[in-house]
Amino acid sequence: ASKKRSRQQSHYQFASTRYQMDYEGQKLCENLFYWIILIFGAIGWVKGYIEQDFAYVFYAWSVGMVISVILCVPDWPFFNRHPVKWLESVPDRRVKQE
């Protein structure tokens, strides 16, 4: 049990040192994803309409998807500009206070 606990503690320490996406970062990430896909899809649709080839729509959408995955999947530091400040924990009421 001690070995398992130390692994969990080291995991929590590692997780706390990583960037944690906050709520504003999630909103930014969602908007980035939405607009990138929309813009690349629209450009592909116009190009495909002009060329009369649906492949341009698919290629443009695919490029937009790759760019949005690169920007939105990792927790980049700019997604953590507004970290959440949590309240202090409430002491356990079951523990007898002397």
Side-chain angles (χ1 to χ4, degrees):
S2 172
K3 193 173 190 176
K4 184 178 181 182
R5 186 176 299 135
S6 67
R7 268 194 234 146
Q8 285 178 341
Q9 287 173 344
S10 65
H11 172 72
Y12 292 136
Q13 288 171 349
F14 174 74
S16 66
T17 60
R18 292 184 319 158
Y19 295 109
Q20 300 290 323
M21 188 181 297
D22 56 35
Y23 296 116
E24 293 295 321
Q26 290 175 6
K27 182 179 176 182
L28 174 63
C29 182
E30 184 178 353
N31 286 334
L32 274 173
F33 178 78
Y34 175 79
W35 286 106
I36 289 170
I37 296 299
L38 185 70
I39 290 169
F40 276 83
I43 291 170
W45 186 84
V46 169
K47 176 71 172 169
Y49 183 78
I50 291 169
E51 300 290 329
Q52 293 295 306
D53 189 2
F54 184 74
Y56 288 111
V57 178
F58 179 73
Y59 294 147
W61 178 82
S62 298
V63 169
M65 190 63 125
V66 169
I67 290 171
S68 64
V69 165
I70 290 170
L71 285 176
C72 294
V73 169
D75 283 336
W76 296 106
F78 62 88
F79 288 133
N80 192 24
R81 291 185 191 163
H82 309 282
V84 177
K85 292 180 179 46
W86 298 100
L87 297 175
E88 294 294 323
S89 63
V90 177
D92 193 4
R93 292 181 182 185
R94 293 178 286 174
V95 177
K96 291 182 181 178
Q97 296 178 357
E98 297 177 14

